[in-house]
Amino acid sequence: VSTQSTWAQSHYIIGFQTPGSRDVNTYYQFRLIEQLLGSYTRDKGEAAYSCFTRAIVADFSDGHTGALRSFRKYDHNMVHSLQALYTPYADIGIFGFYVIADSGETYTGELTEIMHYGMRELIRLTQFVSDEEFERAKNQLKVQIMVNLDGTTNVADDIGRQVLWFGAREPLHVIFDRIDKITKEDIVRTANEYFYDKDPVLASIGNSANLPTYETVKRQTFSIRL
């Protein structure tokens, strides 16, 4: 934890240990979970498609006008972004979410709520996934994979990464077949195995006084209300 209360923005991450990329089956499941959670960005006015965007839009926006409601007594949305992250290495990985927010002392309560929303959506996947969001996430993942192959540099990077991780490069139809075979039950089972009642890792740069305690975050892995 790096504490700088004078920083205009603070950065926070909550992560959980996962298998590495050599476990091909869980690799694509975590890629899919990453798409399910998605991201929220304050400057983009995104539709409420991802779990994270929907959580903030539904809880902090006026249901009739779509305008952001005031955060308690402060007429200010202090969250710049909330996004899922998945970083796999060969033998181990980390999955979690990343928050960028204003550092003001007065926003402590609001940041705690945002961290709570991130944990709530993450732990929700240990119980259920809707058909609509599941199919959307699959399509988004396939599109992302194809976009990342645009250009010779990206193709060369993909070849090198797959050879290092999997020992060979798989063609698109094999990758898409792996994605299509993933079920909602697979996602719930994997989320339970690696998120539910597991010890998270927390890190921050900026004003760490705004962070919820480690005990609070740990408790949310098994007792959060959905």
Side-chain angles (χ1 to χ4, degrees):
V1 175
S2 174
T3 302
Q4 292 289 338
S5 60
T6 59
W7 285 21
Q9 294 180 2
S10 294
H11 301 248
Y12 310 93
I13 183 174
I14 296 178
F16 295 83
Q17 182 176 315
T18 70
S21 57
R22 288 176 179 169
D23 187 338
V24 180
N25 292 327
T26 59
Y27 170 75
Y28 286 108
Q29 289 174 24
F30 282 113
R31 290 286 304 272
L32 195 54
I33 293 173
E34 184 181 25
Q35 291 296 321
L36 278 165
L37 294 174
S39 64
Y40 162 81
T41 304
R42 186 176 72 181
D43 299 330
K44 286 188 176 179
E46 299 170 77
Y49 291 147
S50 73
C51 295
F52 284 164
T53 303
R54 185 170 61 246
I56 294 180
V57 169
D59 288 0
F60 286 124
S61 295
D62 185 296
H64 299 290
T65 67
L68 188 74
R69 292 199 299 265
S70 174
F71 277 61
R72 293 182 180 176
K73 63 181 178 180
Y74 312 109
D75 189 18
H76 178 65
N77 175 8
M78 41 75 71
V79 178
H80 288 259
S81 66
L82 168 65
Q83 63 184 53
L85 64 91
Y86 174 46
T87 305
Y89 300 95
D91 300 313
I92 199 171
I94 185 170
F95 189 99
F97 59 89
Y98 182 72
V99 181
I100 302 176
D102 292 338
S103 296
E105 292 285 352
T106 55
Y107 306 134
T108 302
E110 287 69 28
L111 177 62
T112 299
E113 290 177 4
I114 294 300
M115 302 292 268
H116 170 86
Y117 291 148
M119 286 298 296
R120 185 187 70 188
E121 293 302 314
L122 184 67
I123 298 304
R124 177 178 70 83
L125 299 182
T126 68
Q127 298 186 26
F128 66 90
V129 179
S130 74
D131 292 336
E132 181 181 3
E133 64 183 346
F134 185 63
E135 292 305 318
R136 181 186 298 122
K138 281 190 173 184
N139 291 333
Q140 288 173 337
L141 178 55
K142 292 176 182 178
V143 169
Q144 183 185 75
I145 290 172
M146 289 189 292
V147 169
N148 288 341
L149 294 177
D150 183 21
T152 54
T153 301
N154 290 340
V155 170
D157 178 77
D158 179 69
I159 293 171
R161 185 172 57 252
Q162 287 201 48
V163 170
L164 285 173
W165 285 355
F166 310 136
R169 190 192 186 204
E170 294 186 332
L172 273 178
H173 73 272
V174 174
I175 295 174
F176 287 177
D177 185 57
R178 289 186 184 275
I179 294 171
D180 288 335
K181 287 181 178 177
I182 297 173
T183 66
K184 292 191 300 180
E185 290 74 23
D186 291 329
I187 297 300
V188 170
R189 182 171 56 253
T190 297
N192 263 286
E193 183 174 355
Y194 295 100
F195 305 148
Y196 187 82
D197 199 14
K198 295 299 187 291
D199 295 327
V201 175
L202 281 71
S204 70
I205 299 176
N207 186 2
S208 62
N210 286 3
L211 278 173
T213 65
Y214 182 86
E215 291 72 20
T216 297
V217 177
K218 167 62 178 177
R219 188 165 56 250
Q220 290 175 344
T221 64
F222 59 86
S223 65
I224 198 164
R225 295 182 62 184
L226 302 176

